[in-house]
Every structure is written in structure tokens, then in C-alpha cells.
Amino acid sequence: MAKKRPREKRDVNVQLVEIFEDLASENETVRMKATKLLLARDNLSHEDVLSIFRRLVRGLCSGRKAARPGFSVALTEFLVQYASGQSSNPDSQSLDHGEILKVIRDQTRLSGDVTGQETRDHYLGKLFAAKAAIESKVFFQSKATDTWSQILDLIFEVAQDKLWLREECGWVLVETLRTLQGVSGDVYAQLVIDRLHSAGFWRSLEGVALWVIAREKFSTLKMPDDIFRHNDPLCRSEKPMLTKILKQTDASDRSEDEEKKAMKTGIWTSKLHFAWEVIFASCLKEAKGRVSFSDLWNEVVDEGIFAPSSSEERKHRGFLLVQRYMTNIPADNIPVVLGKNFVRCLVNQYAQGKRYLHTIAERTVKAIHNRATSDGQAASVILQTLIVSRGYANFDNQTKSKTIDKVLRELPLEYAEDVIQGFGANIVQPGIDDVKLASSKRRVLADYLLLIVRSLASPSSGDTRELHRHTMENALDVLVQAAYFDHDHATESQKVIQPLPRFAEQDHSEPAYHPYKIVQTLRTRITGGSSSGLKADEEVQQILQQSLKSLSKLHAKAISKKDGGSVAAYSALELLFSLNIIQACSGEADAAKMLEELQECYKSLLKDKSAQGNGSETVALVEIILTLVSKPSRLFKSIAQEVFSTFALSISEEGLECMFQTKESTGGLQELFEENGEGNEVDMDDASDVEEIVSSDSSGESDSENVDSGGDPGPEEDAEMAEFDRKLADALETRRADADAAIAGNESSDESMDDEQMAALDPVMANIFKERNKETSKKKEQKDAKENIVQFKSRVLELLQTYIKQQPLNPLTLSTVHPLLSLIKSTSSKQVSEKACDLVREFMKLYKLKVDGSRDKKAYKRARKILPGVHDLVVEGGSKAFVSACSQASLLLVKVVLNNGGTMDEASKQYSRTFERMADLQCKFQISLLQDFDNWLTSAKPVLLGAAK
């Protein structure tokens, strides 16, 4: 048996193996540490250096982990140390240029049967090795042009053999030209230009980028004369050629394979080619004779890449371009980037999540929003471009996003005026012939203006306050001009589409200032000779003029603050005048009549100077507000609520009492029954409830649900129907079918009438149905009147709700408790009763128990006075809801007593007396009253014990 050959022993450097392993780590820190260990090795011989160099180049041909980034950095630093004579060990021998090139070629050469992956790895290794050699700058220190030419040969071999690596090769050369600028490398740069010319790569993205960089960095280079006109690929004469190159189509009509090959880039990639940035950055620098950025972008990107017939891949590249330039492009060029075709494509792709480009469209919108929020000037340009220039006023609705909304809310104050003026001009001339589409766009623009006004509702202090006020006035001026006036600068053809009056009906956040500024603008324009859009008779115009004069005087008094307690009344009247003038200009029928009533109120307020400050002025205002809420109009309801909230804090006891007195509060109700006629009797049981009115959270519009609106007919309706049938049968000389069946032996009833008999019946039938319609009309009027009464109660309840919410600690507010309870007990409207109950509970929750030693004698006395009356109502008995409301009211009054110096003994004695009375009178024992008191006492015990300590 043959003896085995002994295995040859090999000297393996374990530390070096570990270093090479770490160079391929995916952790960057590990890779950098391994590079430092490799460079720190000393006592290396020339063979050791050469061996390490071979291993580093071979590592670039590996696709495992992060081998190429790690070995590339290590190779660059290794060449800096061992190919330039800078080794820390003087005995080490440096690598010469010939050895470096030989090792790179040998280690990246393909031999034998290799797979496609191995071929790819070796070409990448060759490119990375050449890049590392260039970055080490070892070839630029000794003017070694021959060696530099061989390095360029390596790069161009890769670019010609593998089209998919041409972009990376071009990028390496571009970075090389930028590096050579600092080492006086005109000679090396010229070699790059000559090599590009011989390879025929000029008419490609890489070639144009290299030409532009070479001319910018080296002015003395000799460029080929037969490639581009005027020796510049960006000159206007070369625009068609440049467009084809950027679109990556054939650059000429020639059919040579070399020319077509120069244009191709291999495969489509999801990243943006570096040449785009180089070319467009150069176009942004305006130069005589060169194509402008806007012209090139419009033709190549907007009309080319984003053309309707363009492929999804090209549009993806276009979105990348927009994202890239949206970050830092000058604001003046943003409208160019947001081209017509691009915005259309963006909206289409963003609106539907199933689109192929939906994700990148979302990123593009985010990039636009980020630029707008970081740059106020850019935000102004973006808004006007998308909404005005491109016509996408409904951008947010179409994309199902809140992009425009967010940008408007974050718009800086100093740029808001530009946006307002742009939107205002677009309201005047929307650029749409269709009336409905123009109206829709105007409404959206008005909403945007309103959003700007609301976002600026809180003015800053200091120097910006005046700018804030000026901006607000400009926004209101635009709305008023669009709503009420013809536009002097509009042509006759543009006046076909009239402004929408509803623009002036927007709700503003501040109750007094904004409506007054609108009216002030109206007055300025009317006195200035502007043509008003209001078509009204002379009497209405005169009322409007008088109201404008009164409003100016009121505004002066309201801001002077000389009349003390009347300031609130003046402010409330100012708001009433403003809102009603706006409504009069909008064509509201009742506004003129309301202005006349306001004039009378204003005159009486001025005459009664002795009463100013004692509360009588608020009584007049309350009467006007009650008149407003008695109108079956949601508009008047909102006006009453807004005005009442402005002076609720200063309302006097007389003004509050006015809301509970029938004589003062039902004056406006009489108008509800004027249409019914003298013969129509209305059940006034519901109207009597106005004496005791309270408020709640519910809307007054739903009170009509309490009125019967259907169901089975009652006995009265059956009798009326029988009478109607009898009259009809007498006129026709017939009987009902059941009557015919009951009469036996009767003659046949099939005999029909002739034409003369039928004609004779017409007047009789007409009278019968006329009487029937009168009865139905009277019933309907009665029903409508009852609904209006309930609605009136609900609206007054809402006014009291506003007052209670604003003044829960005011002793005057306690005067609402007893009327509330009386209304709950007496009203026949379930809806009103529920609202009153809810308000009592809300009042009880708003008033907090705080036994802190502070005392209000008025509140204490008023609570002690009202509390027995509440318990008297409980003793009288009532529904479950009524007793519950009384219990809540009693707890409220107990809290008032305790907060203002009272004791728990006082409350306990009142509850004891109440239960003794119920026992003596043998009435129904209301156990819920005691349960509610016990539960509340348990929850309030910590506060009471804390106060006792």
C-alpha cells in the first residue's frame, strides 16, 4: 500500500485573515477598524505589500456582504501609504505604477468558463479598483501621463463592454475632473477629453455632463470642434439634440451602430442619473446664447417625460427630478417645475392608491409640502401655481389630502398678502367659461381666503400687529369686492360670470371686527363711486345709507370707551348693524326692516343718557334679540346668538328679567299669527310658557318634532271626513258603496249622467272642494304657528345657555333657576322640557364646590331666598324629570350657600323640613331627592373635610 504524501505546511497569518474578514463586514465601524489595523502593520517586505495589494483588489471582485465598500476604502488608503513613499517603515518598498496596473488587470481578468454573476463581479471590481487608484492621487504627483492613460483605458473598457455600468464610469470621471482642478491637472483633464472623443461618448448623458464640468473647471482645455455648435452642448442651437439626449433617444438621424450605442444607458434604474443635476444646474446660471432652465424643463420634463403617452418608467424619473429640485431650487423657478402636465399626473397618481406611481407621488407631495413649510416665499409661489396658474383649486379634494390646507395654515404673515391678491384676481377672472365651474372655483377660493383669515385670528404683538391688521383688511376687501361689486378692470366678456353673493356669508372668528371691516369696505367703495351689485328700491338704499352713518358713530363710541357700561351695548349694536347691512347688500328681504328697528334702538339709547350704565340699554338690546329669534330664520338665529354672546357678560338684572316676562318677550310672537286671520283660533297654551324660558344644549330647529305630524285620524277628523262625503254624495246624487249594499231591492245605480248634467255639477263641486281646502289650510296654519312657538322657546333657551356658560358664578344667573323649573312643570312640549332639564344639570356641573373662605353676600342671600321655593315645587309634585331637575337645582343652590359662608346644617335643615311637609300633606314621597343629596354629599365630603381643616 502506497504511503500518503504529507500535506505541505503553509504559513497562514491568522491576524491578516481576520482583518480581511472584517473588511467585508456590514458594520461600518468594524470595517474602519479593520482598515486601521491593516495600515498599522509594520515590518512588511515588498512581497508582503504586493500580496496584500493583490488580496485587496481580489476582494473588490467579491459580492459578499459589504466587501466592495470595505475593500475599496482600504485599497485607497493602502495605495496612499505604499505607492507614494510615505510608509512609516523605511525598509518597506513602495509599489510602482506598473505593478499597480499589472495587479489590477491580472486580478480582474476573466478566464475560463464563468457565470454571469462572476462576470458582473469582476467588472465591478475593475471599476472600483480604478476608482480607488484615482482617489489615492498617486498618479497625479509625478506627471505620469502614460499610467493615467492606462487607468482611463480600464474605465472606458468597462463603459464600452457593459452599458449598465456606463453611468458609474461617467460619475467616476466627473469626480476625477473636480479633483484635478485642485492639483493643476490640465494635462490629465485633456487626456480625459481626448479619450472621450475617441470613444464617441459625447452625445450621451455622461458625455454632456463631462463636457459641462470640463468647461466650468478648465477654461484652457481644447474641446473637439465637430461635436456641438458653438462648442457648447447647452447652446440654444443644440436644444433639439440636447432634448433627445436627455430623453435617451437617438441623438441623430444617422443609423451607425456606434451613434446609437452611445445613446443607450443599458437598463432602467430607479435612481436619478447624475447628468440631470449637472446639466440643469448649469442651465440655472443664465448665460447669453444658452438654453434657459424653463425652456429645457418644459420641453424635456413637462412635455416629454410627463406627456400623457409617456411610460410609467419615464414618469417615475420625472417625479424623482421634481423631488430633487423642489428642495433648493430658487422660488422664482418653482412654477416651471410644477408644470401643467406634471400637476395633472401628480393628481391622477396620488388620488388612487392602486396606481403604480402612487407611492412616489406621495413622496413628491411631501417634498412640496416640506419646501412650502420651510420657505414662506416658496409657499406663496406653490399656492398660486397649483391653484391659480394650474387651475387645481380643488387640489385637496382631488388628491384626498390636506396639502393646501396645511400650507395655508402655516403660511407666514409677510407672504400672506401675495396669496390673497393672487386668489382675489383669480376670483375676478377664474379663467373658466362655464358658469357652474366658475362658481364652484370661486367658492373654493373664498374658503381658502377664509382659512387665511382664521389662521391669522390671533395677531402678534410688536411690529407685526400692523402688518396683521393690514393683511386681514386686504382679505376682507377681496371678499367684499367679489361679493357686491362689479370689477372695473374686467372686460365685458369676463363680466358674463358674476360674483357669488354667498362669498360674504362666511362665518368669521371674531364677532365685531371682521363684519365691521366688511361694512367699512362697502361704505368706502359705495362712496367712491363703485357700482354696487344690489338691486333695491330707493327706500332700501336710503335705509342702507343711514345705517352706514349710524354704524360709523357706533364704532367710534365703542372704541372710545368713554361711556363706561355702555361700551358693551355699543359693541353689540355695532355687530347687529354690521351683520344686517351685509345681509341687506346680499338681498335679504328682512334685513332692511331690521335695520329700521336698530335705528330706533340706537336713537333711544342716545336719548336716554341718564340711564346709561344702569342696565336699561341692555333691555333694549334683549328686546331686539328676542325679536330676532322669533323670526323663523336660521340666519337671524345665528345673528342673535353671536350678538348676545358679545354683551352677555355685561347684561343687567333688568335685561335678564326681560327674558322671563311675557309682555316684553312675546311682542315678536304676534307676527307669527298675523297671517292666520281673525277667524283662526290658535291654542295659546304653548305660548303662555314664554313667561318661564330656559335653555339647553339641543338645537332649536328640532323642537318641531314635538308637534304631532301624523298618525291615525281622531274622532274630529272622522266627523269632518263623513261630512265631506255627505256633501259630495248629495251633489252627485249617489251613495257610498256600503250604503248601496245595505239597501235591498234598490234600482240599479249604474245609470250614468249626460254631458249637460256633468257641466251643471262643476260649480257645486268647486265650492265643496274650496271649503275643504279652507279647513285644511286653517289647520296647517295652526300647526305651523305651534311649531314656531316651540322654535321660539328653544332659541331663547339657547341664549340663556350662552349666558349661563359665560356667567356660572354671577349671582344674577341664579335668577334663572326658578323660571327653569316652572317651565319644566308647565310646558306641554316634551322637547322643551328635556332641554330645560339638561340646562339645569349643566348649570349644576358648571358651578364647582370650592370652600376657600371667599364670600359673596349677594350670591349667598339670593341662594338662600331661592332654595325654599325650589323645595316648595318638589312638595307640589310632578313628573320624574321635573323632580330630578328640582333635585339638581337644590344641589346647585346648596353649593352656592357653602361656597359663600353657609354651613351644611342649613342645607340639612331645609331637606328635613321638606320631607316633614311631604309626610304631613300625605303627598307622594320623592325619595330621589334624598338619594341625590346623599350621593352628592358622599362625593363632596373630601372637599368639605379639607375646608374644615
Side-chain angles (χ1 to χ4, degrees), residues 580-780:
N580 279 280
I581 289 173
I582 293 173
Q583 293 305 316
C585 292
S586 300
E588 184 69 30
D590 296 333
K593 185 177 180 180
M594 186 59 64
L595 285 174
E596 289 183 319
E597 295 180 7
L598 288 173
Q599 287 281 6
E600 295 298 326
C601 178
Y602 174 57
K603 292 177 182 178
S604 63
L605 183 62
L606 292 179
K607 289 179 180 179
D608 191 14
K609 293 183 179 180
S610 61
Q612 291 182 3
N614 64 7
S616 62
E617 67 272 9
T618 61
V619 175
L621 287 174
V622 169
E623 291 178 352
I624 292 178
I625 290 174
L626 290 175
T627 304
L628 281 175
V629 297
S630 68
K631 309 287 185 181
S633 169
R634 300 186 64 179
L635 171 64
F636 288 145
K637 170 193 170 183
S638 61
I639 292 176
Q641 283 280 8
E642 198 71 44
V643 174
F644 187 81
S645 64
T646 61
F647 77 101
L649 296 177
S650 59
I651 191 171
S652 63
E653 186 171 3
E654 292 81 2
L656 193 61
E657 286 293 333
C658 176
M659 304 185 73
F660 305 119
Q661 295 176 1
T662 305
K663 293 182 180 180
E664 284 79 8
S665 61
T666 57
L669 279 176
Q670 300 304 322
E671 299 179 7
L672 296 175
F673 311 108
E674 290 177 357
E675 301 176 357
N676 295 331
E678 297 180 357
N680 183 24
E681 296 181 359
V682 180
D683 185 5
M684 294 300 294
D685 291 340
D686 289 328
S688 63
D689 293 334
V690 180
E691 297 181 9
E692 302 145 339
I693 297 174
V694 288
S695 63
S696 78
D697 298 328
S698 304
S699 172
E701 309 302 329
S702 61
D703 290 334
S704 59
E705 297 176 3
N706 184 63
V707 183
D708 294 337
S709 59
D712 296 332
E716 183 179 352
E717 295 183 4
D718 290 341
E720 292 177 358
M721 184 60 70
E723 179 65 18
F724 174 74
D725 289 342
R726 185 190 63 76
K727 291 181 180 179
L728 192 61
D730 292 342
L732 296 176
E733 297 182 355
T734 60
R735 290 183 297 275
R736 292 167 51 99
D738 52 357
D740 286 339
I743 301 175
N746 232 7
E747 296 181 357
S748 176
S749 60
D750 294 337
E751 183 179 355
S752 60
M753 296 183 181
D754 57 20
D755 293 341
E756 292 182 359
Q757 292 175 322
M758 293 292 292
L761 284 176
D762 287 345
V764 179
M765 297 289 293
N767 290 330
I768 292 174
F769 281 101
K770 186 176 180 179
E771 293 178 2
R772 173 66 176 174
N773 291 336
K774 284 182 179 180
E775 295 294 331
T776 304
S777 177
K778 289 180 180 179
K779 290 184 178 181
K780 185 178 183 302

Side-chain angles (χ1 to χ4, degrees), residues 884-899:
S884 176
C886 290
S887 176
Q888 295 295 311
S890 176
L891 294 177
L892 166 66
L893 296 171
V894 169
K895 287 196 291 184
V896 175
V897 170
L898 295 177
N899 279 359

Side-chain angles (χ1 to χ4, degrees), residues 520-571:
Q520 186 184 52
T521 305
L522 282 169
R523 183 185 181 190
T524 302
R525 292 190 174 275
I526 291 174
T527 56
S530 298
S531 176
S532 175
L534 176 63
K535 306 301 181 183
D537 55 26
E538 184 177 352
E539 182 181 357
V540 175
Q541 296 284 0
Q542 186 177 2
I543 293 174
L544 187 59
Q545 292 289 348
Q546 292 175 353
S547 300
L548 288 171
K549 293 178 182 179
S550 300
L551 178 62
S552 298
K553 296 178 182 179
L554 271 173
H555 182 69
K557 289 181 176 293
I559 63 177
S560 65
K561 300 181 180 180
K562 293 181 179 180
D563 292 331
S566 296
V567 172
Y570 286 136
S571 299

Side-chain angles (χ1 to χ4, degrees), residues 246 272-280 300 305 317 321 325:
L246 290 172
L272 191 62
H273 199 290
F274 74 91
W276 289 92
E277 184 175 352
V278 174
I279 294 171
F280 279 118
V300 176
I305 293 178
R317 183 182 296 119
L321 279 168
Y325 281 97

Side-chain angles (χ1 to χ4, degrees), residues 103-379:
V103 170
I104 291 176
R105 286 191 175 277
D106 291 344
Q107 297 300 320
T108 58
R109 183 181 294 115
L110 292 171
S111 59
D113 255 347
V114 293
T115 62
Q117 183 61 40
E118 290 176 338
T119 302
R120 179 180 181 277
D121 289 339
H122 276 75
Y123 273 102
L124 285 172
K126 184 184 292 187
L127 180 60
F128 272 81
K131 181 174 179 290
I134 294 173
E135 290 178 347
S136 66
K137 300 181 181 179
V138 296
F139 301 109
F140 306 140
Q141 298 175 359
S142 58
K143 302 293 182 181
T145 56
D146 294 340
T147 308
W148 174 239
S149 297
Q150 296 182 53
I151 291 293
L152 291 179
D153 290 340
L154 290 174
I155 296 175
F156 279 95
E157 283 176 11
V158 175
Q160 289 175 331
D161 293 345
K162 299 298 178 183
L163 296 179
W164 51 273
L165 284 176
R166 181 180 295 175
E167 181 182 347
E168 283 72 16
C169 294
W171 174 249
V172 171
L173 294 177
V174 166
E175 290 300 307
T176 300
L177 290 179
R178 289 171 175 167
T179 304
L180 290 175
Q181 185 185 17
V183 294
S184 302
D186 291 14
V187 177
Y188 298 97
Q190 188 64 55
L191 289 175
V192 174
I193 298 302
D194 296 341
R195 192 68 180 82
L196 274 169
H197 185 60
S198 62
F201 284 171
W202 283 125
R203 292 183 176 181
S204 64
L205 284 172
E206 297 80 15
V208 174
L210 284 166
W211 187 298
V212 172
I213 293 295
R215 291 303 300 267
E216 290 180 355
K217 304 298 181 184
F218 306 96
S219 58
T220 60
L221 291 182
K222 183 180 179 181
M223 308 300 291
D225 298 331
D226 58 343
I227 305 299
F228 300 110
R229 295 170 186 157
H230 306 292
N231 231 14
D232 187 2
L234 302 184
C235 72
R236 293 175 182 173
S237 303
E238 289 292 347
K239 181 181 175 182
M241 176 67 68
L242 183 60
T243 300
K244 290 182 179 180
I245 292 173
L246 290 172
K247 290 181 179 180
Q248 297 182 2
T249 58
D250 289 345
S252 67
D253 295 334
R254 293 179 293 177
S255 59
E256 285 83 352
D257 293 339
E258 292 81 6
E259 188 69 28
K260 292 182 179 181
K261 187 176 180 180
M263 295 300 303
K264 296 178 181 178
T265 57
I267 60 175
W268 177 84
T269 60
S270 60
K271 66 178 182 178
L272 191 62
H273 199 290
F274 74 91
W276 289 92
E277 184 175 352
V278 174
I279 294 171
F280 279 118
S282 183
C283 290
L284 283 171
K285 304 173 184 177
E286 297 183 1
K288 186 177 180 180
R290 275 196 166 188
V291 63
S292 65
F293 174 82
S294 59
D295 290 343
L296 188 61
W297 185 280
N298 286 333
E299 185 165 348
V300 176
V301 181
D302 197 58
E303 298 178 2
I305 293 178
F306 286 109
S309 59
S310 185
S311 64
E312 303 289 346
E313 292 78 10
R314 287 182 180 272
K315 291 178 181 178
H316 184 278
R317 183 182 296 119
F319 281 119
L320 292 176
L321 279 168
V322 174
Q323 291 179 28
R324 169 65 187 83
Y325 281 97
M326 189 53 64
T327 56
N328 57 1
I329 194 172
D332 295 339
N333 290 313
I334 288 179
V336 179
V337 177
L338 301 179
K340 178 178 64 175
N341 289 335
F342 160 71
V343 178
R344 173 189 52 78
C345 182
L346 177 68
V347 171
N348 292 338
Q349 297 294 336
Y350 192 96
Q352 300 182 15
K354 295 182 179 180
R355 292 287 188 110
Y356 291 121
L357 302 178
H358 176 75
T359 302
I360 194 169
E362 284 183 326
R363 296 173 185 168
T364 305
V365 171
K366 186 176 181 179
I368 295 173
H369 176 257
N370 291 339
R371 177 64 189 277
T373 53
S374 62
D375 184 355
Q377 184 181 3

